[in-house]
Amino acid sequence: MEPPRQKWIARLILLLGAAAGLAWLGSLNLQRRISTDVLDLVPTDERSPELSMVRGLADQEEARVLLFAVRVAPRDGEAPAARGARADRAAATLARLLAASPAIAQAVPLADAGPRNAMAAAIFARRLEFLLPGWLADRRQEFDAAGSPGPWSGWLAERAASGLERYLAKPEAMASQDLLTSDPLLLIPGLVGKAGSLEASGLAGGRAGDYALVWAQGRASPLSPEGQGPVFAAVDAAAARLREAEPGAELRWTGIARYAAASRRRIEQEVSTLNLLSLGLVVLVAAACVRKVYRALQLVPVVLGSLLGAWVATTMVWDRVHILVFVIGSLLAGVAIDYGFYLYLQPRRRPDEPYRERAGRLIRPLLASALTTVIGFSFLLWSELPLIRQLGVFVSAGLVSALVTALLWFAQLDNSYLETRSFIRRRASNPGPRVRAAARAVLVAGAAVALLGPWRLHWRDDIRELEIPTPEIQANDQAVRDLFGESTDRTVYLTRGRTPAEARARLEEFLAWHQRAYPQAKAASIGYALPTEAEWSGLPAEFAALASFPADFRAALERHGFDAASFSPFFGAWADEAGRRDRPAYDQLVAGLAGTLQGPLSSLLHVKPGASWFVTISQERPGPEAPPGLATVTDSQLQNLNGLFARYRVSALRLSSVGLAFVGASVFVLYGLRRGVRIFAIPAGACLFAFGAFGLAGATLNLFNLLGAFLGVCLSHNYAIFSAESQGRGEEPPPSIRMSAAAAASSFGVLALSRIPVVAALGSTVAVIVLAALVITELTPLASAPEPAQDRRP
Amino acid sequence: MKPLACLLLGLAASVVLRGADSALAPLTPALVAGEWQPLIGALASKGSVQADFTERRYFPFRTQPTVLHGILRISPERGLSLQYLGDEPNILVADPSGLLIRDAAGRSRELPADSHEGGAIASLLPIMRFDFAALFPRFDVQAQRSGDTWRFEFTPKDPEAAKALGLITVVGTGTAVRHLQFRHSANQRVDIDVEDPRSGVAFNPAELAQFFR
């Protein structure tokens, strides 16, 4: 019998703690506090420009784009052209129906040339503002390079007239001849030549095969519930109305909202499934190893207390916590139960040994294992990545809660000892030479794997692995994007700057690099339609220097066989622009162009306070990335954020190393150098073996394998401590080590089955390390057992 | 009858007869299947053709036409290819996929057949193939024949295509195309004289790759 006072105090503390924790969680709006947005996994003040662009893309209208492809059912004897026209009408109907929904900001059938015409008209009307400064700067470079002795104006007039004459021999001259009297400097044809392939980039085509295309934009962020449900309802309603008019019409569509909704749904399922499975397996392991199965349920409060403490601490520290923390947090079931095992399965020294005395014997290894793990995970609080910081707090708080709950829970029981089945305690007392040799061979083979395998490891991070892959949605997305002309034969670049001027300057540098790197590939950007800030500010001085240009140009045109009088629209526009006194500031000029971009064209240029970028579409397969100084990334870089996560991985490795150093140091302080080395060799060896095995298997690891390794080392470190403690007392290792390892391996094995790749990576890493540590713990005594004395009697 | 009167009567009769022979008349599917069938059948079944050409481009703001020379190639399977020679050589290909312009460096620009602009120019392809089944839905066609010489005029029905192409005239002798014209007005037109046409040529794979898509 335990003292009643001890029992009631323990019960009171447990009840108060549970009530307070549940009250706290009950007071929270968990829908708001728990996020499924992957961007919440990375810091809001992240300095990486890639991420700020991704954040921008996610927050801005670019992420709200919805792409639709409509195909109408064929009719008997109908010509393809007639069917195509019917598809165009269906697309126009769909766009009208979508645009009528409050959830949809705009919807445009791509056959509608309105956005293209609006952009072309705006650029043509302001061609001397948008295009002339850059054209003059290019000609000035040629003039300087040629070292021409004549005046600048005369040289320029001759150059422009001869250029116009040459242009008339080009195939496209006939199509653009109506423009030429207004644009004899060929500003618009020059822009079309450089940026014309945007037309073939999927942004401007009206139809793809039998499908007519519609571009639309939602009103709310696709990552928010408002940007999902109402959009889906609007699409369903529009599709139903469309099919009333066109029975059998097929509608395919894609958008980030579809991914986000599917991801949230699947992750929520994953959380509940993994937690239940993990808890169930741990209880099953316990039930299989103890004599009175029902008494194994006494371990459940330890796990629940651990999870409650972890949830409370994490939600108290952070206003918004990513759901992945709770998914990975389900591993705590396998870790937290360890303390229950150590306390509950520790045999009494004598039948009437009180709980306090028994717990007192265990408190040193319990505190050593718990606190060293907590210290190790606390170092993750210095990580840049919120996810890792949140995991650090979740695991640390969970372990402390587990230890406290275990100590209190068993303190309020009259019988706090659970006898294990004999098989879990069974050990080879006097191993024969074959067993010794086999144990040594296994250890040597493991050492070889640990030494050779890690050199073959590959590392790569992809933010998309933080979510559950949705193959059917991905396949649909790819199919629709193919119809919109997105192919693997092209590369999309985003060039950024804090201001429009900086972004345009970087674009100029990037385009020069691209020309050198891919001389055969054409790079098209709306940036060609804008001067750089320096060219714009130099325009008044150029007009002043070219005062005689109109007269020079008239004479040059006549010399080259033109009727100069036909070009009066150009000379009128030139005089107006040259005489202009007030010109807009550069930012206003860029905003003026951005304001003319409608529908799909609006994604070509982004101008917002603090972040501007230009899109460049190049007709080449993705190749080497642009040098960092060019502030340009490809869309694939933005999709995987590998570069950014590689930095986080290095940061996590550094923090884990420091944490492990402290764990090791604390072991050396508690157990001395010799025993400390023996204790620390087990988790370190198990970790190296796991990485070696992954390396030999050709696996590619990521940040979460690293975190898993850290956790695995901390766990297996506990087994080494308890094993060493028992050895120090001349006892056999307690059965709780085997049960802990089995429970942890089961719990993490469940995580290894997760459909979220990073969770699976973490689970498999911990499971392998824990099992390897158990094998080392078990085999080391066998391999180092003394040779039995030889019977030398004749 | 006096010799002078005979001469004048003879000339008048010749004019009347030539006039009757040369009047442009709408060409209908029935006529294509009937009296025009031998000529059109022969034109359509000529196979691959290669010829030199001289192109004169007339612009309203220019006092003289811009003159270009090149080689025309027609492949029944691959389409029409115009190889422009001169200071800035280019190759223009019109085929069922649309229009392609390839510069001397091998870089190309495309206008897909399902775009308005590419579609208008790609409609030239059935003209060069004399594929009247494909032409009638897109063009109003008129025809004229005088002895061995013949003339077709194609007016696009689609206003956008009419704006892009103008009135298209094809003139030939026997089974050879001799002249093409794309006309918006007297001072805004393109005349193409086809010289030394050779039918039945076989393009080797290198030529097909270089001059077609």
Side-chain angles (χ1 to χ4, degrees), chain A residues 11-25 304-305 308 312:
Chain A
R11 283 170 191 163
L12 190 65
I13 295 172
L14 281 170
L15 278 173
L16 284 176
L22 290 172
W24 165 257
L25 290 180
L304 295 179
L308 181 64
V312 168

Side-chain angles (χ1 to χ4, degrees), chain B residues 5-166:
Chain B
C6 288
L7 181 62
L8 286 174
L9 189 60
L11 279 173
S14 162
V15 168
V16 169
L17 284 173
R18 284 174 68 86
D21 208 20
S22 66
L24 269 171
L27 190 67
T28 61
L31 289 170
V32 168
E35 62 187 271
W36 285 84
Q37 206 286 324
L39 172 64
I40 291 173
L43 288 168
S45 60
K46 278 177 60 179
S48 299
V49 175
Q50 181 168 326
D52 297 334
F53 72 86
T54 300
E55 180 176 319
R56 288 179 182 79
R57 297 181 178 176
Y58 293 84
F59 298 95
F61 46 78
R62 196 160 164 78
T63 51
Q64 296 294 321
T66 298
V67 182
L68 304 166
H69 299 280
I71 301 171
L72 174 150
R73 294 176 178 84
I74 298 174
S75 160
E77 298 82 25
R78 301 293 194 96
L80 164 70
S81 164
L82 295 175
Q83 180 192 4
Y84 289 94
L85 306 172
D87 293 341
E88 292 194 40
N90 277 295
I91 295 167
L92 187 148
V93 180
D95 61 17
S97 302
L99 184 75
L100 178 141
I101 300 170
R102 193 177 289 147
D103 67 15
R107 285 180 299 205
S108 21
R109 280 168 291 153
E110 294 182 43
L111 282 175
D114 56 5
S115 69
H116 273 298
E117 302 82 354
I121 298 168
S123 65
L124 291 177
L125 193 57
I127 292 179
M128 301 311 295
R129 289 172 169 169
F130 295 94
D131 180 0
F132 279 83
L135 285 167
F136 279 126
R138 297 188 198 178
F139 295 93
D140 290 322
V141 188
Q142 294 201 303
Q144 170 195 34
R145 190 161 47 182
S146 173
D148 205 24
T149 302
W150 46 264
R151 175 190 185 93
F152 294 108
E153 287 191 4
F154 302 91
T155 307
K157 291 179 177 174
D158 174 25
E160 289 290 324
K163 198 174 160 190
L165 298 171

Side-chain angles (χ1 to χ4, degrees), chain A residues 153-517:
Chain A
S153 173
W155 179 93
L156 186 67
E158 177 60 28
R159 166 73 175 71
S162 61
L164 179 60
E165 188 178 7
R166 275 201 311 279
Y167 177 74
L168 297 184
K170 288 180 181 288
E172 59 267 38
M174 295 308 297
S176 58
Q177 58 179 306
D178 291 342
L179 290 178
L180 297 181
T181 52
S182 301
D183 186 24
L185 303 183
L186 305 175
L187 301 176
I188 297 290
L191 175 64
V192 171
K194 286 190 279 193
S197 54
L198 287 175
E199 288 277 311
S201 65
L203 292 164
R207 224 186 289 150
D210 296 335
Y211 288 92
L213 309 177
V214 174
W215 180 96
Q217 200 172 52
R219 213 173 276 285
S221 165
L223 303 176
S224 69
E226 302 80 48
Q228 295 171 7
V231 168
F232 301 156
V235 173
D236 289 344
R241 293 275 305 276
L242 177 68
R243 289 190 184 108
E244 285 173 16
E246 269 292 346
E250 176 195 344
L251 176 66
R252 305 187 75 167
W253 71 284
T254 189
I256 290 175
R258 294 191 82 172
Y259 278 102
S263 180
R264 184 180 189 100
R265 199 167 49 246
R266 286 177 177 227
I267 288 181
E268 284 169 356
Q269 282 173 354
E270 192 95 345
V271 170
S272 49
T273 310
L274 285 180
N275 274 295
L276 280 175
L277 258 176
S278 184
L279 187 62
L281 273 175
V282 167
V283 171
L284 203 65
V285 166
C289 299
V290 298
R291 284 191 186 280
K292 293 175 179 171
V293 174
Y294 68 93
R295 292 195 62 208
L297 292 176
Q298 298 287 0
L299 293 163
V300 172
V302 178
V303 175
L304 295 179
S306 164
L307 287 171
L308 181 64
W311 274 68
V312 168
T314 313
T315 50
M316 284 181 98
V317 175
W318 279 282
D319 184 51
R320 231 169 125 75
V321 183
H322 195 272
I323 196 165
L324 206 54
V325 172
F326 301 109
V327 176
I328 296 173
S330 60
L331 59 87
L332 266 182
V335 183
I337 203 165
D338 280 12
Y339 304 119
F341 283 146
Y342 294 136
L343 280 167
Y344 204 21
L345 306 180
Q346 183 65 33
R348 293 188 179 97
R349 276 197 171 154
R350 55 177 198 285
D352 60 343
E353 184 187 34
Y355 172 75
R356 288 184 67 171
E357 196 177 315
R358 192 156 53 95
R361 273 192 288 125
L362 289 174
I363 200 69
R364 185 172 118 130
L366 278 174
L367 282 176
S369 61
L371 293 183
T372 51
T373 306
V374 168
I375 288 170
F377 269 85
S378 299
F379 276 89
L380 298 184
L381 290 173
W382 276 272
S383 169
E384 294 170 273
L385 212 54
L387 171 67
I388 296 179
R389 288 203 300 270
Q390 290 170 4
L391 268 177
V393 167
F394 193 92
V395 173
S396 299
L399 289 179
V400 171
S401 302
L403 180 58
V404 172
T405 308
L407 286 169
L408 291 172
W409 184 260
F410 295 113
Q412 54 90 42
L413 296 180
D414 277 331
N415 181 4
S416 59
Y417 170 62
L418 181 62
E419 195 179 352
T420 51
R421 291 182 192 275
S422 59
F423 77 88
I424 200 77
R425 297 193 303 269
R426 190 173 299 140
R427 293 183 185 276
S429 55
N430 196 8
R434 285 189 176 180
V435 173
R436 273 200 311 276
R440 285 171 187 168
V442 170
L443 287 174
V444 167
V449 169
L451 290 174
L452 300 175
W455 304 103
R456 299 169 63 93
L457 281 175
H458 300 284
W459 295 86
R460 179 176 169 78
D461 285 282
D462 189 333
I463 194 170
R464 290 169 294 192
E465 292 188 348
L466 294 167
E467 298 181 302
I468 300 175
T470 44
E472 67 282 6
I473 291 182
Q474 280 170 345
N476 173 68
D477 181 73
Q478 191 58 54
V480 176
R481 289 182 187 282
D482 286 347
L483 291 172
F484 274 75
E486 293 185 18
S487 73
T488 53
D489 290 337
R490 66 174 203 169
T491 306
V492 177
Y493 296 92
L494 289 95
T495 304
R496 65 187 172 267
R498 281 165 299 179
T499 61
E502 187 180 290
R504 180 64 185 85
R506 293 278 176 277
L507 177 68
E508 195 75 1
E509 293 164 10
F510 162 71
L511 291 171
W513 169 82
H514 188 273
Q515 172 62 28
R516 291 192 301 274

Side-chain angles (χ1 to χ4, degrees), chain A residues 5 222 263 279 305 392 432 453 603 618 647 699 761 766 783 786:
Chain A
R5 192 162 174 256
S263 180
L279 187 62
S603 57
S618 175
R647 182 156 62 73
V766 179

